[in-house]
Amino acid sequence: METLNVGIIGAGNIAPAYIKGCAPFDVINITACADILTDRAQAFAAEHGLTACSVDELLARDDIDIVLNLTLPAAHAEVSLQIIEAGKHAYCEKPLAVTRADGEAVIKAAAAAGLRIGCAPDTFLGGGVQTARKAIDDGIIGAPVAATATWLSHGHESWHPNAGFYYLEGGGPMLDMGPYYVTALLNLMGPVARVAGSARMTFAERIATSEALKGQRLPVEVNTHVAGTLEFESGAIATVIMSYDVWGNHLPFIEIHGSEGSLSVPDPNRFDGKVSAVIGGTREWVDIPLTHNTNIGRGAGVADMAYAIQSGRPHRASGDLAFHALEIMLALEESSEQGRHIEIKSTLEQPLALPAGLPDGLLDM
């Protein structure tokens, strides 16, 4: 496979994870970065051996094939459209956009240009969730009939150096952490047909306690506790809770309950974790050995897209997957506002499972 060059727009908090996560894959090579803050781009470039550019300069470069869009959520759609207009494949941090219309615009623009749009999270490519996917595909728990997915915390203001945006438009626990959980469920169980939800904004402001923002008052514009049900096209029903309003809990990350058993899925915000199951009415949890590589990180989705660009196969962390997840997440809050089920208009081809036993640095056999 040819190595495709990658540029980064947005040298913020998540960017170092992509440098580390992309490095093992020979199919991609990060060469340049840009940021609205010139000093930050220059410092990031110096630290990681990249060329610092302006955004316009990066998009004009002929030697950049894929651009990583690591900007703030509210800018994701606008920047992705700029990348596509410049004739480059785009891979975006989650979520794809913060409105359905913007998400649709990105998907349509990429299709019209004959370019790929990829989107985080790619954590579902990790050994934990892929082992769970194989267990379901192998029929260990029978046909999935129900699931739970929960992420409960008291927000990010205790640690994040720029936590304010989590409480403004495009933030909130559903668009922030929901992509990990909803994407994992879609990978494990296929597309969703309709949803019902309830949501609330519990506190009008947050007091930051992180070192960078300590004492600052952060205004809240979004729902901070969202709960709902997803009805899958298969008929299975999942219960989902995402919250910034909870001080502690004992709930599992994800459980899938099938006709013949139950499956415990590890944290979908990570690439590793333990998978266990209750099988055949034994009522005892047994560990399932991991069948897939856990030694990958953020950037696996970019590498997978680079493989797919060259081979012609679908890429796994796709725009279609991200848009279906976005529509589901937005519909949960719309359901709360409207007091009714919301039908999901988009659908999805379930992402291809990764082959088991791949060595480090490879995503294709």
Side-chain angles (χ1 to χ4, degrees), residues 44-265:
F44 189 80
E47 181 178 359
H48 298 288
L50 310 178
T51 300
C53 311
S54 69
V55 172
D56 288 343
E57 288 170 344
L58 189 147
L59 293 178
R61 287 180 59 156
D62 293 333
D63 61 343
I64 298 291
D65 305 293
I66 300 170
V67 178
L68 268 172
N69 176 2
L70 306 184
T71 58
L72 294 179
H76 282 177
E78 178 184 356
V79 174
S80 290
L81 288 170
Q82 290 175 353
I83 295 167
I84 293 164
E85 186 177 356
K88 304 185 187 305
H89 305 285
Y91 187 95
C92 184
E93 241 307 297
K94 51 81 185 171
L96 178 69
V98 298
T99 69
R100 186 182 288 102
D102 282 349
E104 286 178 337
V106 172
I107 297 296
K108 289 178 179 178
L115 295 167
R116 300 282 184 132
I117 175 72
C119 189
D122 54 5
T123 44
F124 73 94
L125 300 177
V129 177
Q130 285 294 313
T131 296
R133 167 69 182 271
K134 187 176 189 304
I136 293 173
D137 290 351
D138 288 347
I140 287 177
I141 63 168
V145 298
T148 60
T150 56
W151 185 85
L152 309 175
S153 83
H154 214 266
H156 298 322
E157 63 269 23
S158 65
W159 66 272
H160 198 284
N162 184 30
F165 76 89
Y166 286 111
Y167 300 101
L168 304 178
E169 182 185 4
M174 186 54 73
L175 286 185
D176 170 32
M177 295 304 297
Y180 298 105
Y181 289 78
V182 174
T183 301
L185 289 174
L186 296 175
N187 171 67
L188 295 168
M189 300 171 63
V192 168
R194 68 173 186 168
V195 308
S198 294
R200 64 174 289 178
M201 182 182 75
T202 305
F203 306 102
E205 66 178 13
R206 300 290 182 118
I207 307 300
T209 56
S210 67
E211 184 177 348
L213 301 175
K214 193 165 187 176
Q216 289 191 26
R217 296 179 179 272
L218 309 178
V220 179
E221 300 177 351
V222 294
N223 290 316
T224 50
H225 186 97
V226 184
T229 54
L230 315 182
E231 184 176 317
F232 289 78
E233 290 184 9
S234 67
I237 298 173
T239 302
V240 177
I241 309 172
M242 298 287 128
S243 183
Y244 285 163
D245 297 338
V246 174
W247 289 106
N249 75 94
H250 291 107
L251 295 173
F253 296 109
I254 295 177
E255 289 183 347
I256 311 294
H257 305 286
S259 58
E260 305 297 331
S262 294
L263 188 69
S264 176
V265 182

Side-chain angles (χ1 to χ4, degrees), residues 342-361:
I342 302 292
E343 303 290 329
I344 302 301
K345 296 178 181 178
S346 64
T347 189
L348 178 72
E349 289 290 332
Q350 196 172 4
L352 296 170
L354 278 174
L358 288 173
D360 291 355

Side-chain angles (χ1 to χ4, degrees), residues 23-46:
F25 298 102
D26 290 339
V27 74
I28 49 176
N29 179 38
I30 299 177
T31 62
C33 70
D35 194 282
I36 193 170
L37 301 176
T38 302
D39 290 347
R40 183 161 69 174
Q42 291 174 343
F44 189 80

